[in-house]
Amino acid sequence: MGVRAGLSMVFVVACVASCLAVQPTSRSSSIRAAGPKLVSNRDIDLQSVGVEGALEKPNKKKKEFKTPSGLFIQERASKQLPGPGQHFSFGALLPWAEIQVLLDQLPDSKLVLLIRHGQAISNYLSDFLGPDEWFKVEETCAYTQKDGTEWGLFDADLTVKGQEETNALNGLLDNAGWYSKLTGGRPTRAVVSPLSRCLETANRALSGLPIGVYSVEENVRETLGEDTCDARRSVSNPDPNHPSALEGPCDFAVGLRAKFPQFEFPIVGGKGDDELVAESDTDVDADSDDDGGDEGLVVTGGLGGRNSTSGFGLLSDRDGLWTHKRETQHKQVKRATRFLRDLYAFAPEKVVFVVTHSGFTRSVLLAAGREPYRPQNSELVPLILQRTAHAGPGAL
């Protein structure tokens, strides 16, 4: 055997010996443990639900919020699994008793129960007319069918079907006992969009439940701008002699306070309408360079004028956020991130219902690091939320 062949053989033998000497890595160094697993009656294996041990991808901007994976079927949105709809056990892949244990174990965590409003007039018409015809009328204040039936589009109300859907959700939460399973007996809060379809959904779907505080919040509105169904009415009734002072893109006679006396509508903005209109196009993108009166609820509570330490509410009496320019998904995710900051700043409750819209639901999920699942009307989507060390301060 030549000198070169002899050296090659020595090198191979040395490499084999070195590989055999390597010790097995510890369990904590694995990328992810397999499958959800219950370690004991009281301790959930946090690694098994994607909380620890995952190899983080490099990211120039650290996320402020995160969520454990492997808990809910709605996480599989990119695979179109599942289709939207009210899923068994609200999509939970573990028994809710185990999810409650996990919620206790995870530091700085909350259970956010996102509820999309019931079918609204705008939802019905967009399906009935189809996308091409709906595009022609979505910026108008009303639509009249050939048979003379007129539908109001501005701040769209629930349809009869939407009312039935939200009543059915209430039956699941109250009569079927799901409220206690979801909340685990913890104190709860409900945060509600100030658009009529969400206020009526909360009034019906959450009726009779022992929710401690209801907060009407500007930041959980649907995608801002362009569509009149997503414009809100003022808190006060417009003055008949000077209606334009409070009216937005469409005329209306009744404000939120008169239409929904069950709720309180604190004005926490402290800014003029002109400033708010300007900010709807600019300040929404300023956080980062990346990336009516039905029987039911009797609502109390509501915190004072918004600043760095105040609570949820509306930015002004008049809708100062709606414009003829549509909010982008990028900006809406930033708005959702601000809301999640406020959730930690202003809501001490561990469990929070958020009655909102499909667009904002997707943005909240994106802000938490989950796939943008689009819920059906009256669907409840659960999210376990954790605040990271990179979270910013609360308040708008």
Side-chain angles (χ1 to χ4, degrees):
M1 180 167 60
V3 173
R4 179 176 298 178
L7 290 175
S8 298
M9 180 65 71
V10 171
F11 177 76
V12 170
V13 171
C15 289
V16 170
S18 175
C19 291
L20 291 175
V22 175
Q23 298 298 317
T25 57
S26 65
R27 181 181 178 187
S28 62
S29 66
S30 62
I31 291 179
R32 177 165 298 179
K37 169 174 137 182
L38 184 62
V39 174
S40 70
N41 288 335
R42 294 196 56 79
D43 296 307
I44 297 290
D45 184 349
L46 300 184
Q47 192 177 36
S48 72
V49 292
V51 179
E52 295 179 347
L55 183 63
E56 292 187 4
K57 297 179 181 178
N59 191 339
K60 62 180 178 179
K61 179 177 174 10
K62 296 292 187 180
K63 292 290 186 181
E64 297 186 41
F65 301 95
K66 62 181 181 179
T67 181
S69 61
L71 296 178
F72 304 107
I73 197 170
Q74 294 93 335
E75 297 169 25
R76 305 171 183 177
S78 64
K79 299 179 181 179
Q80 297 183 338
L81 292 172
Q86 202 66 271
H87 301 287
F88 175 74
S89 194
F90 295 99
L93 299 175
L94 292 174
W96 272 98
E98 295 182 18
I99 293 176
Q100 297 297 340
V101 173
L102 178 63
L103 187 61
D104 287 334
Q105 290 182 351
L106 292 176
D108 220 0
S109 63
K110 289 181 181 290
L111 174 60
V112 181
L113 301 168
L114 298 154
I115 298 176
R116 186 189 177 191
H117 60 79
Q119 185 196 60
I121 291 171
S122 51
N123 303 134
Y124 163 74
L125 283 178
S126 63
D127 291 340
F128 175 76
L129 296 174
D132 293 338
E133 286 301 311
W134 171 247
F135 180 77
K136 299 175 184 178
V137 303
E138 62 186 357
E139 296 184 53
T140 62
C141 295
Y143 173 77
T144 304
Q145 292 183 190
K146 293 180 179 179
D147 62 3
T149 303
E150 183 172 333
W151 300 93
L153 296 179
F154 168 73
D155 186 25
D157 289 315
L158 295 184
T159 62
V160 172
K161 179 181 178 181
Q163 294 172 351
E164 293 171 348
E165 291 171 341
T166 54
N167 291 342
L169 178 57
N170 178 256
L172 288 174
L173 294 173
D174 191 5
N175 300 334
W178 277 103
Y179 176 86
S180 61
K181 293 177 185 178
L182 296 176
T183 64
R186 295 178 176 87
T188 59
R189 175 188 295 258
V191 179
V192 186
S193 162
L195 299 188
S196 290
R197 55 191 183 272
C198 285
L199 292 164
E200 186 173 359
T201 294
N203 189 48
R204 291 174 176 274
L206 305 181
S207 178
L209 302 177
I211 295 175
V213 180
Y214 286 82
S215 302
V216 177
E217 166 59 23
E218 193 92 77
N219 250 344
V220 303
R221 289 172 57 176
E222 183 57 295
T223 310
L224 300 170
E226 200 170 81
D227 293 1
T228 57
C229 62
D230 299 327
R232 77 159 169 88
R233 63 191 64 232
S234 60
V235 175
S236 305
N237 294 342
D239 183 345
N241 298 318
H242 305 283
S244 61
L246 290 178
E247 288 178 348
C250 302
D251 299 339
F252 62 93
V254 180
L256 289 172
R257 190 174 288 126
K259 187 176 183 181
F260 297 99
Q262 313 94 319
F263 295 91
E264 292 189 358
F265 299 93
I267 307 299
V268 297
K271 297 180 181 181
D273 289 339
D274 292 340
E275 295 177 89
L276 293 173
V277 170
E279 288 183 359
S280 67
D281 284 328
T282 58
D283 190 53
V284 175
D285 206 18
D287 285 354
S288 164
D289 294 330
D290 296 321
D291 302 307
D294 296 303
E295 293 182 2
L297 305 179
V298 178
V299 182
T300 60
L303 303 173
R306 169 104 82 179
N307 54 42
S308 61
T309 59
S310 62
F312 299 109
L314 304 184
L315 297 181
S316 62
D317 190 335
R318 174 181 174 270
D319 183 4
L321 294 181
W322 189 92
T323 71
H324 290 283
K325 181 180 179 181
R326 191 71 167 169
E327 181 183 33
T328 64
Q329 178 83 78
H330 180 66
K331 290 183 177 180
Q332 192 179 52
V333 171
K334 292 180 178 180
R335 176 158 62 93
T337 301
R338 286 207 304 272
F339 165 67
L340 295 182
R341 292 177 197 159
D342 290 349
L343 204 58
Y344 279 88
F346 306 140
E349 296 84 3
K350 192 82 167 177
V351 180
V352 181
F353 288 86
V354 181
V355 184
T356 183
H357 310 262
S358 62
F360 191 75
T361 294
R362 294 195 299 274
S363 290
V364 167
L365 295 175
L366 286 169
R370 240 171 73 173
E371 293 183 0
Y373 176 78
R374 186 181 190 275
Q376 281 189 341
N377 293 121
S378 299
E379 185 177 349
L380 185 152
V381 180
L383 167 71
I384 286 189
L385 183 71
Q386 276 188 282
R387 182 167 55 172
T388 72
H390 310 289
L396 201 68

